[in-house]
Amino acid sequence: MTNGLARASVRFRPASFAGSLVALLFASAIITACGVLLQTGITAHVAPERYAHTPVVVTADPYARVTTGHGDDKSTSETALPGRPRVPAALAARIAARPGVAAAVPDLAFPVRAGKPALPDLTGRPYGAAGIALAPGTRPLADGRAPRSGEVVLDAATARAARLATGDRVTLTGPGGTAAYRIAGLAREGAGPATAWFADAVAGRLSGHPGAADAIAVLPRPGTAAPALAREVRQAVGDGPKVLTGDARGAAEEPGLAETRELLSGLGGSFGGIATLTAVFVVMGTVALATGQRAREFALLRATGATPRQIRRTIATEAMIVAPVAGGLGILPGLALARWWFGELGERGALVDGVRLDVGWIPMAVAVGATLVSALVAGYAAARRSARLRPSQALGAAAVERVRPGWVRTPLGLAALVGGTFLAGLAAEQSGETAANTALGVVMCFLLAVALLGPLVARLCATVFGLPLRTRAAGAAASLAADNSRAQAHRLASAITPIVMVTAFCGTLLFLQSTIRHVADRNVRDGVVADHVLDTTGPGLPAATAGRAARVPGVATAVGVLRTGTVHRAGDTLSTSTALGVSGDPARLPDVLDLGVRTGSLAGLGTSPDTVALSAALADTLHVTPGDRVPLWLADGTRVRPRLVATYERGLGIGEVLLPRAAVAAHAATALDTQVLVKRAPGADRADVARRLAAIGPPGTGVTDAAGYAAAADRNQELNAWANTVMAAVLGGFAAVAAANTLVMTVLDRRREVALLRLTGTTRRQVRDMMRWEGLLVAASGLTLGGVIAWITLVPITRGITGSAPYVPPVTAVSLVAGAVLLTVGATALPARALLRHGPLAAGTERG
């Protein structure tokens, strides 16, 4: 019996079930897309190429880690290091001493620029590692001999393109300096494209990282299998370095793989969790609305003898019919969204080459399962009242809307409201990233409160926003809309909740990014006071460039800036920050960078390399003041505790951490300056100074101004802005579809009401006007509630990150309001026209 009732309901009430199917389909698509990104982040790997013939590779741990708690409460937090971690080159000797090891070869890569325009940018390597990429037994050289001090070996293709041969001399610049080298030989094809090999000691010095290696390639003795070799190497290196075998060796070739994994896992996990919770909210609201619209049908079944169990089984059967179909239909759009998202990240340089999207069955199963469980729970909850009523009371109870709030939803909703208020107050009292992390739960608590207290909130909104509609100037249609909305609070709540979600999520994501961009632009505009900025299209500027710039006639101050990163601990989590290594006299730094010093003095950076200056927001997060020791991880994972000498206001957009260049150069990805900031002497000619400065750097050096500094420093912000915009579009688009879907369902369910209005003399125009006013009331209520939630959430986040109140661009705000208004008005007007195509008697006839 129940199966037949379920199939008949789906067949004869297609509009109601179509609305549920749309919500379930979009929910499945979002869950699938986020799940695929998360799975890709977990399984991301790169096939080894350079180390394809090396069974075991030793590298440093690419993560900074911190462990808290003990025993069962023990937990570890980790984050990818912003630079390349390295291992001591001397570790190779210890590995080579193991009985199963034939050789342990330190490998190193660093950028090299040529003074000859015909030569491209090269990758410098020690000659001892020249045979790693070749098959065993293959001689690396095609011509000449191994390099000695003052000599270099070039790959044959690069030398041939530049018309160079053995015995020629070429000037090469690396992070460690510039010198002229004699070409001692040419490497055969396959040893490495556009590569320059130096004597091992020269390579270590020229790289700027003497005594360090990117990786150590371990070759076995005959008869030693890879697993046995790996065990011996682990015994030699201990717990710190990582011993890689199989496909994991690719991580040694791509140091950015850890950041790629973290990015994809963050998008798929953190954002996926929010998106899944939002999808469940929307699905449950839509299914509950569809089930609630059938209260009279369930009442009739109860009056004719159906048991509560049969009612529940009918709802379960309907969910089993609709949810798997909708979940399955949402898989393909979800995969398409994941592929597009992954491709866009790759085009923006956020992913390392070689990583492929991992499409597995687990995200699809989770998507279908989540939609099915949501539909079942929502259907059971919505039909609970009808199923429990006595048969004699069912029809009477279904004829009127329930006014008394539910005894389960109301306490839960009040608890969510209290929780959100408590978290908002807690975040407001905190500072730095701690406030931002605490505030993330605020929006979810308030949205849960709105969903659970929907009828009460809707009645309050209808009362408040309905006051202007009840005036004589508004007209009869407006007054009727206000009274209708207040009387049908449950229906209004179903329409308001998705609008609240659209506004809260889009407002939080978009206005957070606009605030960050606004403050960063202001900091760069006010803080970069240099007259000229030297930058380059290559990997960087040699350390001596700042000194050469200072000797140019007409230059008063020249400061080199090495842009790198650091990791700090905030509570139990680890976060990264942009760091600047500055050269020269720090007392002259205000000539080119006005950072707005709040406490201490930047001149203290010159007293010792064991010093640091922090942005005020970061100092507040770490709870440190000048004189304190600041625990940090440098870009390669080296732990330091420099003494804080100053805090400053203008960190965002410029750099949150300021260190002496000598303290970070050996730990940065490349020991090259990103830029050189120059202040002209009074009376010096601007064009003449710019021309002289352009001539002192390597090929590709350009001279710009503060705008050029901002453009170079903005890559991460651009990526974050794009990611936030996409997340806002995904969540906002889904919630907008859900809102339109809900509004259409509520309007199409009002056939009898519209028919009664028409029979009592209400004209079609008055009915359409009433529907428009109701749509505007829904938009006003949703925008107001969502805006309040977004603002309460944004205030502690923006203060923690930027130290500023939220910045709301008028164009973005107007667009969001206009979109919500057009959505609600359009989603009510179009189905209302469909209802009014028939006469009053036909409009009231329902399909039975």
Side-chain angles (χ1 to χ4, degrees), residues 658-684:
L658 214 61
L659 292 156
R661 189 187 191 281
V664 301
H667 306 281
T670 57
L672 294 171
D673 284 346
T674 310
Q675 291 148 330
V676 173
L677 308 181
V678 175
K679 187 73 173 180
R680 289 195 314 274

Side-chain angles (χ1 to χ4, degrees), residues 272-301:
I274 297 174
T276 300
L277 189 57
T278 305
V280 170
F281 273 168
V282 171
V283 164
M284 293 184 69
T286 305
V287 174
L289 174 63
T291 306
Q293 289 176 344
R294 299 163 57 200
R296 289 190 296 271
E297 177 184 326
F298 292 137
L300 180 60
L301 291 174

Side-chain angles (χ1 to χ4, degrees), residues 433-511:
E433 293 178 10
T434 307
N437 294 332
T438 303
L440 293 177
V442 174
V443 64
M444 298 309 301
C445 284
F446 280 127
L447 285 177
L448 181 60
V450 170
L452 293 172
L453 300 176
L456 295 177
V457 172
R459 188 179 297 275
L460 177 63
C461 290
T463 301
V464 173
F465 292 104
L467 290 176
L469 303 183
R470 292 188 178 91
T471 60
R472 181 174 298 179
S479 179
L480 186 60
D483 294 336
N484 227 346
S485 299
R486 191 174 187 278
Q488 299 291 333
H490 280 78
R491 183 177 66 199
L492 184 65
S494 300
I496 288 177
T497 302
I499 301 297
V500 174
M501 288 186 176
V502 173
T503 308
F505 278 125
C506 291
T508 300
L509 291 170
L510 294 178
F511 298 146

Side-chain angles (χ1 to χ4, degrees), residues 747-748 750-759 762-765 767-768 830-847:
V747 173
L748 292 179
R750 298 169 67 181
R751 291 182 179 88
R752 291 185 177 182
E753 177 188 333
V754 171
L756 182 61
L757 289 173
R758 294 284 286 119
L759 287 171
T762 307
T763 65
R764 292 187 179 187
R765 179 177 180 180
V767 172
R768 288 195 296 267
L830 293 178
R833 287 182 177 275
L835 288 183
L836 292 171
R837 288 176 183 173
H838 307 286
L841 293 177
T845 303
E846 290 195 47
R847 199 173 179 183

Side-chain angles (χ1 to χ4, degrees), residues 1-240:
M1 174 183 173
T2 54
N3 291 342
L5 285 174
R7 289 194 298 269
S9 298
V10 174
R11 179 181 177 187
F12 293 108
R13 295 183 63 92
S16 177
F17 286 94
S20 300
L21 186 137
V22 168
L24 291 165
L25 187 152
F26 276 89
S28 174
I30 290 179
I31 296 173
T32 298
C34 294
V36 168
L37 291 180
L38 175 60
Q39 180 169 288
T40 303
I42 295 173
T43 63
H45 66 278
V46 177
E49 295 182 4
R50 177 170 175 78
Y51 300 121
H53 303 293
T54 306
V56 175
V57 179
V58 178
T59 64
D61 188 355
Y63 292 92
R65 290 184 170 89
V66 61
T67 302
T68 56
H70 302 280
D72 294 338
D73 296 331
K74 186 177 180 180
S75 62
T76 300
S77 177
E78 65 181 30
T79 188
L81 292 169
R84 173 146 201 170
R86 298 178 179 86
V87 293
L91 188 62
R94 192 194 312 172
I95 297 172
R98 302 298 299 182
V101 176
V105 183
D107 194 14
L108 183 66
F110 54 94
V112 174
R113 307 207 71 176
K116 186 179 178 64
L119 275 176
D121 289 340
L122 304 169
T123 299
R125 293 187 182 275
Y127 182 76
I132 289 177
L134 300 174
T138 304
R139 185 172 182 269
L141 288 175
D143 182 35
R145 56 174 174 79
R148 301 169 184 168
S149 180
E151 295 180 336
V152 67
V153 167
L154 299 179
D155 68 279
T158 300
R160 191 164 50 247
R163 297 183 178 180
L164 295 172
T166 302
D168 292 343
R169 301 189 68 83
V170 62
T171 300
L172 300 175
T173 299
T178 301
Y181 297 87
R182 177 182 176 275
I183 300 177
L186 301 179
R188 68 173 64 252
E189 302 290 339
T195 306
W197 284 272
F198 302 88
D200 292 357
V202 174
R205 185 174 62 254
L206 190 60
S207 71
H209 306 106
D214 294 343
I216 298 175
V218 183
L219 301 175
R221 291 186 183 276
T224 303
L229 180 65
R231 285 193 297 270
E232 290 195 28
V233 173
R234 289 191 183 96
Q235 293 173 359
V237 302
D239 296 331

